Amino acid sequence: MSVKLSAQHVRKVYGTHEGAVEVLNELSLDLYAGEKVAIVGGSGAGKSTLLNILGGLDNPTSGKVLLEQADLWALNELERSQWRNRHLGFVFQFHHLMPEFSALEAVAMPARIGGKSKQVAVDSAKRLLEELGLADRMNHRPAQLSGGERQRVAIARALINRPTCVLMDEPTGNLDPATAEQVLALIHDLTFTDTAFVIVTHDPRIAEQMDKRYRLQDGQLCPE
């Protein structure tokens, strides 16, 4: 298996001098094609910070993040944005769906941004929504969808460009237990053989079903 995403000796420090807080300390992680990795840890341990750095949304104080062998933080802002669109998908605790767009439009949007024609983007979005059990909800806007449906739309949006890696930050954290179980089953059943998944979670049920589990503690990842 090839390494798809690699964090190398990543440090993240907030503040300066006496008030500085080190969140990540020489942290390294390699993610391979098709892997599903869970990251757990206490509140404030730096899990979301790590995810943002892996996703090119927040810069490390030092160290490198290589995505398909490209150093994210050696790219300029436009290049990094284009590389993210091509190679990364994001799913957050809150779905971040724009209220004015239907499920179909929301899922197709990253493909359109990536240069796909409208027809190709829409056809791909339809197939994904059908696969995720939302065939009859494609033209509904977020306010017309349940919490679980909104999160499935967010997952479809993350997968539309067949990314190298999908980063998930507490994907079941805002759902009731029954709906969280449905989303968990969906995550577990996703079979994108070349896509690596990184899931930050407080939910032990999710962590237990991943291929690898790490605990973020004292700025380091420790295998569980």
Side-chain angles (χ1 to χ4, degrees):
M1 291 189 297
S2 59
V3 175
K4 294 296 184 178
L5 181 64
S6 180
Q8 300 179 355
H9 307 291
V10 167
R11 293 182 69 242
K12 183 63 177 180
V13 179
Y14 290 105
T16 57
H17 307 299
E18 293 83 1
V21 176
E22 185 176 64
V23 180
L24 304 176
N25 176 21
E26 294 288 331
L27 182 150
S28 295
L29 175 68
D30 287 334
L31 298 166
Y32 294 87
E35 248 188 348
K36 292 178 182 175
V37 173
I39 297 176
V40 301
S43 180
K47 302 185 298 299
S48 293
T49 297
L50 173 59
L51 218 60
N52 287 338
I53 289 174
L54 293 178
L57 299 173
D58 189 9
N59 61 304
T61 302
S62 61
K64 291 182 178 181
V65 176
L66 304 180
L67 175 60
E68 288 287 23
Q69 301 181 351
D71 183 350
L72 282 178
W73 296 102
L75 303 175
N76 65 40
E77 188 173 348
L78 176 60
E79 291 169 336
R80 189 162 54 251
S81 177
Q82 293 171 335
W83 205 246
R84 276 199 307 264
N85 176 264
R86 180 179 174 185
H87 291 291
L88 288 174
F90 295 89
V91 180
F92 301 99
Q93 178 175 349
F94 299 97
H95 50 78
H96 294 303
L97 299 175
M98 295 182 182
E100 65 269 30
F101 292 114
S102 69
L104 183 61
E105 291 168 332
V107 174
M109 193 178 301
R112 293 288 285 132
I113 292 171
K116 298 290 197 308
S117 70
K118 182 177 180 180
Q119 191 59 55
V120 168
V122 167
D123 288 346
S124 297
K126 284 181 178 178
R127 284 195 297 271
L128 265 175
L129 288 167
E130 287 168 358
E131 288 177 24
L132 298 183
L134 294 169
D136 61 344
R137 310 296 277 169
M138 292 186 189
N139 295 315
H140 289 66
R141 295 183 180 182
Q144 299 169 303
L145 301 172
S146 70
E149 288 170 340
R150 289 193 291 266
Q151 199 63 309
R152 277 184 279 164
V153 172
I155 291 170
R157 180 182 58 187
L159 295 172
I160 186 70
N161 286 333
R162 300 286 169 163
T164 297
C165 184
V166 174
L167 305 176
M168 296 183 167
D169 194 356
E170 298 287 357
T172 63
N174 197 40
L175 303 176
D176 63 81
T179 305
E181 284 289 349
Q182 294 173 359
V183 173
L184 171 58
L186 173 62
I187 293 169
H188 184 62
D189 291 341
L190 288 172
T191 54
F192 289 74
T193 54
D194 291 330
T195 299
F197 289 80
V198 182
I199 303 174
V200 162
T201 182
H202 283 102
D203 191 335
R205 297 168 300 172
I206 291 181
E208 287 166 3
Q209 295 189 39
M210 299 302 108
D211 301 318
K212 293 181 181 177
R213 293 167 297 282
Y214 295 94
R215 178 167 295 278
L216 182 55
Q217 187 171 359
D218 299 325
Q220 291 280 335
L221 287 175
C222 305
E224 288 211 321

